[in-house]
Amino acid sequence: MIWRDGRLDFAAAQSRAASSVTRARALAARHPASYACWDVLQHPDPAIGDCRSRPYTPRRAYLMELLADGGPPIQAVPATEDGEVAALWYDVLREQGIEGILWTGFETAQLTAVGRLDEG
């Protein structure tokens, strides 16, 4: 993600991805990017390992634990269990360049739905 002028700039991210190494480095210096994480599929601890069959709640806890000592440019996406908060995010985030939200049941192992803001 590249944040520019108060919103996400996907064109800037795509431009970097399609550039030569030299140009990509120059663009990265001018417009730093962040990596947003929303899940852990494989934990680095071999005792935990493959997380894909685990419910989302412990996977989210693992993610937050793994990122606890970090910060931007690697960060967890916001998450909520409050339906009203999720609905508010769905309504207001378009102005910031967010194209949709992902949601899942907290006790399910799989993503159950994907919502896009441009869907009717």
Side-chain angles (χ1 to χ4, degrees), residues 48-119:
I48 299 170
D50 186 352
C51 295
R52 293 174 293 174
S53 65
R54 295 173 189 254
Y56 180 72
T57 300
R59 292 194 327 255
R60 177 72 182 189
Y62 292 145
L63 174 67
M64 299 310 289
E65 175 187 302
L66 290 167
L67 297 179
D69 294 332
I74 299 174
Q75 56 203 15
V77 297
T80 183
E81 295 182 42
D82 185 322
E84 290 182 19
V85 170
L88 178 64
W89 289 348
Y90 190 82
D91 287 339
V92 301
L93 291 177
R94 176 177 269 162
E95 295 175 12
Q96 296 178 7
I98 305 295
E99 295 181 350
I101 59 174
L102 304 173
W103 64 90
T104 186
F106 284 92
E107 297 310 315
T108 184
Q110 297 182 359
L111 183 69
T112 55
V114 177
R116 286 189 51 95
L117 296 176
D118 58 358
E119 291 178 347

Side-chain angles (χ1 to χ4, degrees), residues 1-3 16 32-36 72-75:
M1 304 179 325
I2 296 177
W3 186 259
R16 274 178 50 180
S34 292
Y35 184 80
I74 299 174
Q75 56 203 15

